[in-house]
Amino acid sequence: MNTEAMIRLYDISKHYRSDSAALANIDLRIDKGEFVYLTGASGAGKSTLLKLLFCAERPDKGQILIKGRNITRLKSREVPYLRRTIGVVFQDYKLMNSRTIFENVAFPLEVQGKRRIEVGKKVYQALKEVGLEERMSRYPLELSGGEQQRIAIARALVVGPDILLADEPTGNLDINVTLEIMELFKKANARGTTVVLATHSQEMIQRFPRRVLTLEGGALVRDESC
Amino acid sequence: MNTEAMIRLYDISKHYRSDSAALANIDLRIDKGEFVYLTGASGAGKSTLLKLLFCAERPDKGQILIKGRNITRLKSREVPYLRRTIGVVFQDYKLMNSRTIFENVAFPLEVQGKRRIEVGKKVYQALKEVGLEERMSRYPLELSGGEQQRIAIARALVVGPDILLADEPTGNLDINVTLEIMELFKKANARGTTVVLATHSQEMIQRFPRRVLTLEGGALVRDESC
Amino acid sequence: MRQSSFLCIATVGTLTATLTIIALFALVIINLQALTGRWSEDVQVRAYLEKPVRNAQADQLRKRLGSIDGVDEVEFVSREKAYSRMRQRLENADLLDGLSPEVLPVSFDISLASELRSREGVLELLPRIKAVLPNADLRYGQQWLERFESFVQMIYAAATVLGGFLLFATLFIVSNTIRLTLYARKDELEIMALVGATPFFIKAPFLLEGAAQGALGGGLSLGTVYLLYQAFFREGLGSLLFSIGGYEIHFLPASHQLAILGAGVLLGLFGSLSSLRKFVKIG
Amino acid sequence: MRQSSFLCIATVGTLTATLTIIALFALVIINLQALTGRWSEDVQVRAYLEKPVRNAQADQLRKRLGSIDGVDEVEFVSREKAYSRMRQRLENADLLDGLSPEVLPVSFDISLASELRSREGVLELLPRIKAVLPNADLRYGQQWLERFESFVQMIYAAATVLGGFLLFATLFIVSNTIRLTLYARKDELEIMALVGATPFFIKAPFLLEGAAQGALGGGLSLGTVYLLYQAFFREGLGSLLFSIGGYEIHFLPASHQLAILGAGVLLGLFGSLSSLRKFVKIG
Ligand SMILES: Nc1ncnc2c1ncn2[C@@H]1O[C@H](COP(=O)(O)OP(=O)(O)OP(=O)(O)O)[C@@H](O)[C@H]1O
Ligand SMILES: Nc1ncnc2c1ncn2[C@@H]1O[C@H](COP(=O)(O)OP(=O)(O)OP(=O)(O)O)[C@@H](O)[C@H]1O
Ligand SMILES: [Mg+2]
Ligand SMILES: [Mg+2]
């Protein structure tokens, strides 16, 4: 435990409804530069855990530290600045349908006030890495499911985030594209990005063995380093 | 070729944009009671092909027969009646967010004017088969990604359709649930439903070997019966 | 349909607001009409005769005048009557000291059939009176009558343009609002079509909802106008208007109330219908 | 923002419709005000004296009357003047055959300071005149003046209620419409927040858009009103109104035009602002 803790959860619980817990008493430490799988059955709480990490949901109980900072009671005007250091691939993509692919991927950069030329270059680069630079001027609804998913990945990676949270990022992708995407994640990881990847795919975990966190009914039941 | 043809495509082409073909010169015959995989890389045209079969898109060229009937130039007031014989699992689920899970699954039955008691029984049964009968009174956005996907499957199966078109129906499901869902599809298939399942998962195809159609850049490049 | 309560409130609210404007407008116009209708009852022609006439002759003239088409009643004002009237009108009777009845002209007071009680009606009637009394001096309070009438006419003309535009704007705003609420639900409309619903099956509940919202909006607007009427028009104006001669400001008559409700239902119905045509597309 | 052209049209259209109603309303009220203001210039008091006075005395009285607070001008009407006026007024001069100037009363025509040219003003002034001329008979066209005034007042009161409600309804309808357009884009607003945009970054373009739409709506409404004015009010009414004494119906003055534009911008801005508060939520 010499390395720095990137994400630290202390006794986290989350209930959407009073009768059932989506997450229960989670304690967890993820170090800087780690690559972690988050797995578990459908409805186990994977997405919920990720949502807590970028303040899309707030825990009912417990504390969350990101880079040593307690984000549990972050003021809402500070939330955007936290989010800028985190790239998120949403399970349902969350692309803006009235904006082009280019504008979608450029958005997180514009939010940070980056210069136009820089934005253009970075967006092109990110789209090229997911193989969709030719779709740049289309709208999300004009793309196939897998293409939309890759746009979501490009948007998460374009800012060079400290943390990458990817929720089922290859659910709609064939194996070849999945391998390419995993290469991208590993490259980002090698550059220092801490990666948390929620997935149900055992195949992926076997091909790229890393530390695996397993949720079951909201509880963290296993934490295996490979 | 003694069995009856359920789906018949003659020289089908589809362009969303003039510069590139989503589907090109597809000829295809799927018999009544068959179980067929539709595979291919992301953007190969799988979803487009399925969309043509229930008239969500119209081909630019060629003819499509469903149960011997040419649907290429179906009048728009006849389209609903075609769709009632086809269950569709959409790649992006397409649940109605302002209606409860129960109402979502009941909708295709109500459309057909089924009696209230019958609707209630069938919906409960269908939700039970995907393991979500307890989520009945929630709204789609209150479910996890995989749960929403299973609701979409329940809605497609609840009517006992002649044809089931499933577009990446287990992309967000872990292996256990996937196996259960495949059992459901096989059961429906055994009852006489013709199944066309678009997927990128080689694992699924290996576990349940069936006829596999492979698309590449809009062209049908392989048609392998196991 | 939990999430759509905002959409529902938006539609009903807009319907209520626009119908209230229309109804308030109708309230004002109807009362102006009633008030000016009442005042116009005073319009009459007075014919001063060139020289005094004997009673028998006056009687004969009175009959001839009375038989004119458009004349309601005729009263002969003899010199004595004119003098006593003047006496009555002047507070300070001393003024009449130097005046004897003989210097006053005799006249006929001719009241008009109700449909002629306007400047135009008077102008139509004058030649017919002139035919009977060629040398009489005919007076009918020109200046004030003309002003009053042009005033009323200006208001009616303005009301017509404003009211016409109001109706048009209401139609536009309401159908716009309904279209927006359906736009917000367009994904859902699309999904319904994709799982086999016929256009009628999709539209029917929205049309019913539109009609119900329209009826509700109509009812609420009538309620609002009634409250405004009670708060501002009836009491407040009653004390403001010192000499409207016992005229009491009315609320909208039942027929108009029904028309507002009906307009609400029709707006809701056709607003939904026209927008649904746009958003419900099969295949 | 391709798909949102419908939303944009909806907002601008609603803004245009509502602002047009307001502007038309203002147009009518402003012209009524100008017209009645002009007519009220005729309001004057005529004081009939009990008995004839000599010129010197008349002059003295005239001066005293003229120095009364609220009196504008005073004219002495001698018997001769009264006779010639009557002659002028009566078409058929034969009527005056039996009449000599001596039977007519002398009077003062007292015109009022502009702020007193109303029934109330007259009533305020009467005692002061009475103080100078205790026995005179004071007349000021009571009946017509009263009616005309109560009529005007009723219209103003109605205009105030209607106008107030109109402003309120406009505010409601416009902010409602803008809220609906933002509701239709609420997924997008949510996504922006999720990828790290600050509320200001999200809101700024929508506020700008709202202000621009408001300005556009204001401009279009002014254009619409100008067209309606040209088509209906100026020509059409001009020929309808036979005796408004050369009064020409005006278009809205520049200050009001600016106010309409400003109202559009403010409506767009605050409509967006209040709705954005509802839909832009971080964390
Ligand atoms: N907004 C919500 N309101 C109520 N319940 C919710 C909500 N979101 C999720 N849940 C419930 O919380 C539990 C955990 O959901 P979560 O989305 O975290 O699961 P998951 O592990 O991501 O599953 P999946 O693999 O299917 O995406 C589920 O039972 C789900 O029904
Ligand atoms: N509405 C549309 N407008 C324009 N192009 C489209 C549209 N829908 C799909 N396309 C394009 O057509 C091609 C085929 O799309 P399709 O959705 O059929 O692919 P797919 O095989 O289902 O891919 P995936 O596995 O990623 O879902 C893609 O290149 C896509 O970009
Ligand atoms: Mg999930
Ligand atoms: Mg697809």
Side-chain angles (χ1 to χ4, degrees), chain C residues 6 10 14 20 42 49-50 89-90 92 95 99 103 135 137 139 147 150-151 155 157 165 176 241, chain D residues 6 10 14 20 42 49 89-90 92 94-95 99 103 135 137 139 147 150-151 155 165 176 179 237 241:
Chain C
F6 162 62
T14 302
T20 303
D42 290 354
L49 297 189
E50 198 181 6
R89 270 183 48 203
L90 292 179
N92 195 330
L95 281 176
L99 217 63
V103 306
N135 291 318
D137 182 30
R139 338 217 98 252
R147 284 191 173 180
S150 52
F151 195 72
I155 286 179
F165 185 80
N176 214 2
L241 303 184
Chain D
F6 162 62
T14 302
T20 303
D42 290 354
L49 297 189
R89 267 183 50 203
L90 292 179
N92 196 330
D94 296 349
L95 282 175
L99 215 63
V103 304
N135 291 318
D137 183 28
R139 339 218 96 249
R147 284 190 172 180
S150 51
F151 195 73
I155 287 179
F165 186 80
N176 213 2
R179 188 162 298 186
L237 266 186
L241 303 184

Side-chain angles (χ1 to χ4, degrees), chain A residues 145, chain B residues 47 91 167:
Chain B
S47 301
Q91 192 167 10
D167 198 351

Side-chain angles (χ1 to χ4, degrees), chain C residues 54-75:
Chain C
R54 267 165 300 128
N55 276 8
Q57 201 188 344
D59 233 45
Q60 195 195 345
L61 282 172
R62 199 169 59 80
K63 283 208 182 98
R64 279 178 61 195
L65 287 171
S67 67
I68 291 176
D69 205 26
V71 168
D72 189 29
E73 247 179 66
V74 183
E75 190 191 356

Side-chain angles (χ1 to χ4, degrees), chain D residues 156-223:
Chain D
Y156 279 11
T160 309
V161 177
L162 242 161
F165 186 80
L166 218 56
L167 272 175
F168 172 81
T170 303
L171 207 71
F172 174 79
I173 291 172
V174 167
S175 75
N176 213 2
T177 304
I178 291 180
R179 188 162 298 186
L180 279 172
T181 65
L182 289 176
Y183 183 90
R185 294 162 88 168
K186 69 178 191 313
D187 291 345
E188 223 164 297
L189 294 171
E190 198 190 304
I191 293 171
M192 292 180 185
L194 284 177
V195 295
T198 54
F200 177 77
F201 190 91
I202 300 175
K203 287 175 182 174
F206 286 97
L207 291 179
L208 274 181
E209 194 181 293
Q213 287 172 338
L216 186 58
L220 286 175
S221 75
L222 284 179

Side-chain angles (χ1 to χ4, degrees), chain D residues 72-253:
Chain D
D72 190 30
E73 247 178 65
V74 183
E75 189 191 357
F76 176 63
V77 183
S78 64
R79 279 186 161 155
E80 288 73 24
K81 218 184 226 162
Y83 187 74
S84 73
R85 273 197 192 167
M86 194 181 254
R87 233 200 159 87
Q88 230 168 25
R89 267 183 50 203
L90 292 179
E91 282 169 17
N92 196 330
D94 296 349
L95 282 175
L96 290 173
D97 272 0
L99 215 63
S100 77
E102 279 71 40
V103 304
L104 293 176
V106 300
S107 62
F108 285 101
D109 282 1
I110 304 166
S111 57
L112 280 55
S114 55
E115 66 275 14
L116 291 178
R117 281 174 196 152
S118 67
R119 189 181 175 275
E120 273 174 27
V122 169
L123 291 183
E124 194 186 321
L125 201 62
L126 285 184
R128 300 188 208 151
I129 297 177
K130 267 247 139 73
V132 178
L133 303 170
N135 291 318
D137 183 28
L138 303 179
R139 339 218 96 249
Y140 52 91
Q142 283 95 324
Q143 199 199 19
W144 273 109
L145 184 58
E146 286 181 1
R147 284 190 172 180
F148 183 67
E149 286 223 334
S150 51
F151 195 73
V152 168
Q153 247 163 346
M154 173 161 153
I155 287 179
Y156 279 11
T160 309
V161 177
L162 242 161
F165 186 80
L166 218 56
L167 272 175
F168 172 81
T170 303
L171 207 71
F172 174 79
I173 291 172
V174 167
S175 75
N176 213 2
T177 304
I178 291 180
R179 188 162 298 186
L180 279 172
T181 65
L182 289 176
Y183 183 90
R185 294 162 88 168
K186 69 178 191 313
D187 291 345
E188 223 164 297
L189 294 171
E190 198 190 304
I191 293 171
M192 292 180 185
L194 284 177
V195 295
T198 54
F200 177 77
F201 190 91
I202 300 175
K203 287 175 182 174
F206 286 97
L207 291 179
L208 274 181
E209 194 181 293
Q213 287 172 338
L216 186 58
L220 286 175
S221 75
L222 284 179
T224 309
V225 174
Y226 189 72
L227 287 181
L228 287 174
Y229 164 74
Q230 289 287 13
F232 295 108
F233 286 97
R234 206 152 85 153
E235 298 293 311
L237 266 186
S239 65
L240 249 183
L241 303 184
F242 30 80
S243 80
I244 45 176
Y247 178 77
E248 207 183 292
I249 294 174
H250 303 115
F251 191 57
L252 293 172

